[in-house]
Amino acid sequence: MPLKTREEYLESLRGVKKRVFLFGEEVTDYVDHPLIRPSINACAMTYELSYKPEHEDLLTTFSSLTGKKINRFTHLHQSAEDLVKKVKMQRLLGQKTGCCFQRCVGFDGFNAVDSVTYEMDQELKTDYHQRFREYLKYVQENDLVVDGAMTDPKGNRRLNPSEQADPDLFVRIVEKRPDGIMVRGAKVHQTGAINSHEILVMPTVTLRDTDRDYAVSFAIPADATGILYVYGRQSCDTRKMEETLIDVGNPNFGGQEAVILFNDVFVPWERVFMCGEYRFSGSLVERFAGYHRQSYGGCKVGVGDVLIGAAQAIAKYQGLEKVSHIREKIIDMIHLNETLYACGVACSAEGKPTPSGTYLIDLMLANVCKLNVTRFPYEIARLAQDIAGGLLVTLPSDEDFASSEVGPYLNKYLKGVDVYRTSCRQRLLRLNENLTMWAGAVAYLTESMHGAGSPQAQRIMLGRLANLDYKERLAKEIACIEDEEEKKV
Amino acid sequence: MPLKTREEYLESLRGVKKRVFLFGEEVTDYVDHPLIRPSINACAMTYELSYKPEHEDLLTTFSSLTGKKINRFTHLHQSAEDLVKKVKMQRLLGQKTGCCFQRCVGFDGFNAVDSVTYEMDQELKTDYHQRFREYLKYVQENDLVVDGAMTDPKGNRRLNPSEQADPDLFVRIVEKRPDGIMVRGAKVHQTGAINSHEILVMPTVTLRDTDRDYAVSFAIPADATGILYVYGRQSCDTRKMEETLIDVGNPNFGGQEAVILFNDVFVPWERVFMCGEYRFSGSLVERFAGYHRQSYGGCKVGVGDVLIGAAQAIAKYQGLEKVSHIREKIIDMIHLNETLYACGVACSAEGKPTPSGTYLIDLMLANVCKLNVTRFPYEIARLAQDIAGGLLVTLPSDEDFASSEVGPYLNKYLKGVDVYRTSCRQRLLRLNENLTMWAGAVAYLTESMHGAGSPQAQRIMLGRLANLDYKERLAKEIACIEDEEEKKV
Amino acid sequence: MPLKTREEYLESLRGVKKRVFLFGEEVTDYVDHPLIRPSINACAMTYELSYKPEHEDLLTTFSSLTGKKINRFTHLHQSAEDLVKKVKMQRLLGQKTGCCFQRCVGFDGFNAVDSVTYEMDQELKTDYHQRFREYLKYVQENDLVVDGAMTDPKGNRRLNPSEQADPDLFVRIVEKRPDGIMVRGAKVHQTGAINSHEILVMPTVTLRDTDRDYAVSFAIPADATGILYVYGRQSCDTRKMEETLIDVGNPNFGGQEAVILFNDVFVPWERVFMCGEYRFSGSLVERFAGYHRQSYGGCKVGVGDVLIGAAQAIAKYQGLEKVSHIREKIIDMIHLNETLYACGVACSAEGKPTPSGTYLIDLMLANVCKLNVTRFPYEIARLAQDIAGGLLVTLPSDEDFASSEVGPYLNKYLKGVDVYRTSCRQRLLRLNENLTMWAGAVAYLTESMHGAGSPQAQRIMLGRLANLDYKERLAKEIACIEDEEEKKV
Amino acid sequence: MPLKTREEYLESLRGVKKRVFLFGEEVTDYVDHPLIRPSINACAMTYELSYKPEHEDLLTTFSSLTGKKINRFTHLHQSAEDLVKKVKMQRLLGQKTGCCFQRCVGFDGFNAVDSVTYEMDQELKTDYHQRFREYLKYVQENDLVVDGAMTDPKGNRRLNPSEQADPDLFVRIVEKRPDGIMVRGAKVHQTGAINSHEILVMPTVTLRDTDRDYAVSFAIPADATGILYVYGRQSCDTRKMEETLIDVGNPNFGGQEAVILFNDVFVPWERVFMCGEYRFSGSLVERFAGYHRQSYGGCKVGVGDVLIGAAQAIAKYQGLEKVSHIREKIIDMIHLNETLYACGVACSAEGKPTPSGTYLIDLMLANVCKLNVTRFPYEIARLAQDIAGGLLVTLPSDEDFASSEVGPYLNKYLKGVDVYRTSCRQRLLRLNENLTMWAGAVAYLTESMHGAGSPQAQRIMLGRLANLDYKERLAKEIACIEDEEEKKV
């Protein structure tokens, strides 16, 4: 069976010899680095839960390519039900990790590349789709984590790739060879890149004729020659390396982003899925973004569940859980969180098959989903801070709690309702802080804002998909205006 | 075939001899009264569209009771797909009428009464379910409009029915007889009551032992002896009686609410579906409200489409449709409107069968849907007013436009972009005004607030359905707190 | 003493022989027309309160021109304290009328024209300022209501006045004569025009060289030859003409807007305050708008007080005034309302003298004030509807309450808490409805949006006044970036 | 002259031998500790600017007690103008430090204690006021920083002080002696405690007869025997101790909170300002909170200016500063920020003298101010993150930028518009991150929420100060309801 266990995943990752830089130094054993490991743990949860009978229905399915049981993260959606299960699986994983588990970008990449290469082949008589499906079988068979790499650095945002002062600010083909292509550039904000076995590269914007060299999609082992990774700093990152685990809030799990540098990297033809066909770049971006905007209607909701639970427990420790204004704030949090979930479910349930047979979410509703995700987690976090009280940001270090000189005083004075342990209050305040200000907030807030495209990207899609002409006609019909009557002759 | 045409509906309604009061007088021919007719027209659209091939899939289906083709408004939902189609049908009707079409309350009542009577019979060995299904067959066969009557006047909101100074402030059984029951009381805010052939009465709150006489559900012809209707006033109601139709904004359609007075009305046993079984009142209220909260994720979205279309056309007439802040406001409107739709779809797609086989929406998501409906239409309306400009509320009367003395000046000065007729701008401003301040706003705003329960009712449901204990456990698991560790010994 | 009583005002207005059109007909006695009179009553309150000792300090002051006691509405602000008192007076009048009292536009016009004409004269050696001050003395001596007329129809919003297909879409000078000028055009949305003795015309946009003929400001008697008025329709306007006064919500007061048509009207030179000096049009618009944006921080707050009071009383009648979610909503309303007031006070307290000695509000804060006014009343109104319950829009007519057949039932069933009269609930629901949907909403909502300039106009001012360069420098200083270091050499 | 220079302040602070704990260890030289020093620097700015001629008018004034020139932070407000200048000074300091400068709590404490002790003496014939004024002269003469210590730990929030399981959860008098009193307890969230020469203790809630021992106010040297400090952890606190200063965002300034433990501390009578007079505790809390709620209308606005400036510069570096949606977001930030300022100014300008002659802000408007502060900075921060883009949270460490292996790539790929240095973008992204997620966010967001009382505290005040009866009467007057008519006989 292709399903890897958590341990097999970790072991296999140790075999991927990536070159990772952190604080200006190359990291020798990234899998066990204390600052990196929590993010690998989060990703490992996608393996761990696939072996739990109670979650089997969400975490696993049967491959449409091989018929074998596979991890859902490597699946091509075969129905609207598959799309809905994806969202439910993501909510579950958010609940279990309290952070980003970093395996969705590849998953969303597979589904986007699958349908677009099919359509390319249909129109252009290329064989990208076949190549891609072969590749995906390999991924499914080996239960791999693949980084779906889309975002280029972009430089001056008002210029197209080929107009930039530096031509490398978007990943590009620098050479075509008989056996493959040579690429150069960088991908930024690469969530989970260090946790991955492979990288699936896609273009990041709709391209034009003059940007033909930037229309490139391919897959490559994460430790291919010429690839370097620079680990991104997160709020409170070094806290993960402190000895006490309480102050880190989420002791076991975390997220990760990296810059991936492609310093003239070779890709053999069988791993190339787009090479100059710029007219298809728009579809690929739109569909990948669409799937990923759907994703946030699951994962962030799961993290929201954790934060709501933490807020509720903190309120209880402080004797406030039945006070009306606290209850109303908890309800506000639930309301916002479930609205996000509703959008995630709706765009999935309204999914339709593409020509390749792979199901695509409803793009309008997926963009609506993500646009709400750019706002509601911030409000949920604000409410969580409101409920927590000021202690959230003034709590002394865990070492002080352990100190013989001041520890007893802290335990005495920072107790809430007498029956509850001060240490539980301390732990949940730190978790709340993690999710609203620290590393957890990187994923729960800022990534909710910018991941899968910044809010303006969704707004542009909404304007494009809204069919305003049809709506205008509806209004005129009600107001008894004939189309020909509108303009004077 | 049981499907009535629009004309057959109107004709059949003329046969229902209701006693309707308006402005202190009894109305003799309510079907043709100019103030009432627009609301009947809106309801008639549910018949008209059932004959349009392009809408057949949404407007009609096959009865689970008889196998015959029926209007969907008389259907028991047999699948999640049925629930989704309901929402799509409601959006369509909102688009076609620009108002409330008033046939959903009965539809939602059927589905709620169906599953609750089934469960009553299972537990209590009563035969309410059989009675109800017989009744529903009659409704389906005759394609009837049925008013789902729930809301009682309630008096002092802090007191239960039997605690009120006046025992009649909730509908109650005043006498049980061998052949039936005698009831007294009133139902308020009865949307579409005057358009209906029948009334289906349900209790309005969860009842207790002492309120046993208020636990009553039954169906009755709308013109039964002892029933009086008092028509509610709406903003700008009398404008419908003015000669020019432009100033009414929506010349053909409108909404309607009435107070129904039950002055000791007799109901035969075969039409009684609950009679004292107070323990089931809660489920009945919760399910009816749930279905109706789902409904708003369809109908109000359709009206929102009309308002967005009107705003877009007005912007065009004023030369502003490409100005960035106007475009952003249109996108804001779309975003809010589609979020409502997403909630309507989601609670439907997640629907599950009840023991009777009839499908019930996901209650959490249906309440989330309605809670958003209590807010977003207000914001959409605000944006529509922003885009429209001040002329929305300062436009002179249509008679002034027709006046030989000032009409030419108005047509000259109130023109926007030269190529468009002033009269089209005038008509769409009036439609915008209708939807944001007038009769249309009664349905689009205030009914969105209070219909199917005021926002606090949804909030209470959210708090109850949220499973906060589970969320607390999730947080503690992440923070490495064992349950037994929480409290000191 | 120049102060007129209420009666003297009404009498004097009867002497102004305006030509007013309404429903396509000329109105013969506009002062006593039932649809118009409530708006005149509202304006009359500015006279009535000037005779109340408890309000004397706000309503009256001593003229800076003559030293005589005058109505504050004719005053030139001589201090920041004067500006603050203006706001307090406006809040008081909003409280007493529950609507727009329509005398501020002239007041704001006086202060804007005063300082701008002073600066014109200083630079251009014209004598506009002297002319204007003579005119203002006349206004003060006779305690006149003057319509400050700014808004032109504007046609295609993307074109300047001289670029329009019709050159008359902005008021313009069509002829200069030895004794004065001839003007043509229209002013729209003219709040209180029919209540006024005089009209003070100003340009509505910043003008350029090519629009020189549109740079015109002047004062003129409201019944000058060539002027016609067309009365604007308001939501529920005809309800004022019904016999029962309850259903109108605010039985005594209301607002008013009109289109003023200038069909080649002659203005003698002594009443002309700008004639082609387009470079000063921007200042005039900016200052008038600034004063008027301040105004809304007073008047709308007063109306907000009335609506909060109505909501509180309705809650009490329904037994809900101590329920926590109702209390929180009332507090939300207060919070929003007082934030508006804070902005009104702040822009006043930070007022500074212009070269003419007349005080100008802080323009940044006045624009902030108005921008909040375009939002908060809508939210306050939404909350008021939330508290009121659905009866707000389903209440039968007062004639039904008086009917012998159904009246007793309505009084029985629509009672709230037993001790309160149903009629009081009925009256306050109608007042709430008036303010949130009817004629009151025209002023409280839509005028709050568009009066003194639509929200985008305030936003543009905010962007212009914000001194972003200074803020950038602050950030760089904190981040230790020298200006010269920013750009590479 | 009593004004200390920055250096004199630092030197004097070295003379205060506080016992400070951090990470479980006692800190020997807290003034020069790298994690603590930035907060001392921020406080030192209140000294530094007092010597700048351009800021003299805001930073200094003349003592009402001695007539000497003093730092405004030690002043008793003598006019509304003084109150307005306070807000302006705070905005300036926020702009110069980008954080909390921590000297306001004492300042606000002085003014609150001054008027309340005056009123105590008037009523009770005590001599607290004289004692306090002597103390304040000492503070003014020596230009001291005084920690205004109000917030007790509170334990179970639903219980009064004397009802708690542990009687020490609020600071209390444990012994009265001939020469003074002995106190025990703790104060939490003590902003700037470590930067202070003195502590001014006040009770934290309105107390009742049974809580008499908790009604205690006094001043004491910050290094008095029995006092211990435990430093609170902040988000990214240890980053201040890293060698590179760029990654800390705000390299020079920061905030600070500490728990102060009072382990049976002796206070001589001349430093005691309340001792059991529980009836005055409410006024003291309300006034201190009122002044401090005003403060936030200044300081947070200054920090907001820095964040807006950073957002604008980042947009420029990315080529986006003229894109309409970016401009609109900057305008949204300005709008929110200036609304806060308007509230700060308004509550000051409406200040009135207390019986002691010291001016008190308008309490309603000060509470409105703070309630907005609990929301708007969160929204401003969200917008700042929106504008910044994802790089905000994925930027590699400064060591990576300096690395010879990956540094050149980072400088190449993370450049925005070609002409600007990557390092400037890097620095401002870090400043943005500091203010929205790190130590800066502790002050800008969470302290804005909870400092001077959590939002519910302000809401309760709003409800209490709103005079709802008066508002009800206004509504009834408009609706023509007489008071006697309301209830049936």
Side-chain angles (χ1 to χ4, degrees), chain B residues 24 189 233 378 385 394 400 450, chain C residues 24 189 242 378 385 400 450:
Chain B
H189 320 317
R233 292 208 74 171
Y378 284 84
Q385 293 204 344
T394 69
D400 288 313
H450 293 293
Chain C
H189 320 317
E242 294 180 4
Y378 283 85
Q385 292 203 346
D400 288 314
H450 292 293

Side-chain angles (χ1 to χ4, degrees), chain D residues 158-202:
Chain D
R158 308 214 72 177
L159 303 180
N160 290 319
S162 56
E163 295 166 354
Q164 300 283 340
D166 179 342
D168 300 340
L169 290 177
F170 290 70
V171 169
R172 67 186 178 111
I173 306 159
V174 288
E175 190 188 351
K176 288 190 200 175
R177 302 199 328 208
D179 51 347
I181 58 175
M182 197 65 90
V183 297
R184 185 188 303 156
K187 291 287 184 182
V188 292
H189 320 317
Q190 291 305 298
T191 301
I194 315 297
N195 311 345
S196 302
H197 304 90
E198 295 267 328
I199 307 172
L200 172 60
V201 168
M202 296 163 283

Side-chain angles (χ1 to χ4, degrees), chain A residues 19 21-26 153-158 164-166 168-169 184-186 188-190 228-239 242 244 247 257-259 261-263 317-320 322-323 325 329 374-375 378-379 381-383 385-400 403 405-406 409-410 412-418 425 430 433 436-439 441-442 445-447 449-450 454-456, chain D residues 19 21-26 153-158 164-166 168-169 184-186 188-190 228-239 242 244 247 257-259 261-263 317-320 322-323 325 329 374-375 378-379 381-383 385-400 403 405-406 409-410 412-418 425 430 433 436-439 441-442 445-447 449-450 454-456:
Chain A
R19 299 195 59 197
F21 289 80
L22 176 58
F23 297 128
E25 316 252 311
E26 188 163 353
K154 296 200 192 84
N156 183 335
R157 299 301 179 90
R158 308 214 71 179
Q164 300 283 341
D166 180 341
D168 299 341
L169 291 177
R184 186 187 301 155
V188 293
H189 321 317
Q190 290 306 298
L228 297 182
Y229 299 83
V230 192
Y231 208 83
R233 293 208 73 171
Q234 291 191 330
S235 177
C236 290
D237 47 5
T238 56
R239 207 167 281 205
E242 295 180 6
T244 166
D247 283 2
E257 295 86 20
V259 177
L261 302 167
F262 294 90
N263 295 331
Y317 295 157
Q318 292 169 178
L320 294 172
K322 289 189 180 133
V323 170
H325 78 93
K329 283 166 191 162
T374 67
R375 295 184 161 269
Y378 283 85
E379 179 63 5
R382 198 186 67 79
L383 289 163
Q385 291 204 346
D386 186 347
I387 292 168
L391 202 56
L392 183 76
V393 294
T394 67
L395 198 67
S397 71
D398 191 47
E399 288 91 340
D400 288 314
S403 141
E405 281 185 287
V406 294
Y409 293 118
L410 295 180
K412 168 189 172 79
Y413 286 118
L414 301 183
K415 183 185 283 298
V417 172
D418 189 49
R425 188 185 187 195
R430 289 302 185 206
E433 207 178 359
T436 63
M437 306 186 76
W438 299 350
V442 170
L445 303 183
T446 322
E447 186 186 290
M449 176 70 82
H450 293 292
S454 301
Q456 193 63 13
Chain D
R19 298 196 58 197
F21 288 80
L22 176 59
F23 296 128
E25 315 253 311
E26 189 163 354
K154 295 199 193 88
N156 183 335
R157 299 301 180 90
R158 308 214 72 177
Q164 300 283 340
D166 179 342
D168 300 340
L169 290 177
R184 185 188 303 156
V188 292
H189 320 317
Q190 291 305 298
L228 298 180
Y229 299 83
V230 191
Y231 208 83
R233 292 207 75 170
Q234 291 192 330
S235 178
C236 291
D237 47 5
T238 55
R239 208 167 279 207
E242 294 180 6
T244 167
D247 282 3
E257 294 85 20
V259 177
L261 302 167
F262 294 90
N263 296 330
Y317 295 156
Q318 293 170 178
L320 294 173
K322 289 187 180 136
V323 170
H325 79 91
K329 284 165 190 161
T374 67
R375 295 184 161 268
Y378 284 84
E379 178 64 5
R382 198 186 66 80
L383 289 162
Q385 292 203 346
D386 187 346
I387 292 169
L391 202 56
L392 183 76
V393 294
T394 68
L395 198 67
S397 70
D398 192 47
E399 287 91 342
D400 289 314
S403 142
E405 281 184 287
V406 293
Y409 293 117
L410 295 180
K412 169 188 172 77
Y413 286 117
L414 301 183
K415 182 185 284 297
V417 172
D418 189 50
R425 189 184 185 196
R430 289 300 185 207
E433 206 178 0
T436 63
M437 305 186 76
W438 298 350
V442 170
L445 303 183
T446 322
E447 186 186 290
M449 176 70 83
H450 293 294
S454 301
Q456 193 62 14

Side-chain angles (χ1 to χ4, degrees), chain A residues 198-265:
Chain A
E198 293 268 330
I199 306 173
L200 172 60
V201 168
M202 297 162 282
T204 197
V205 288
T206 299
L207 297 165
R208 300 184 304 187
D209 191 10
T210 48
D211 297 321
R212 199 178 275 269
D213 290 343
Y214 298 90
V216 62
S217 174
F218 58 87
I220 198 169
D223 54 359
T225 306
I227 297 183
L228 297 182
Y229 299 83
V230 192
Y231 208 83
R233 293 208 73 171
Q234 291 191 330
S235 177
C236 290
D237 47 5
T238 56
R239 207 167 281 205
K240 290 172 187 157
M241 301 194 293
E242 295 180 6
E243 272 172 44
T244 166
L245 283 175
I246 288 183
D247 283 2
V248 77
N250 185 341
N252 293 315
F253 305 109
Q256 166 205 116
E257 295 86 20
V259 177
I260 309 182
L261 302 167
F262 294 90
N263 295 331
D264 292 3
V265 173

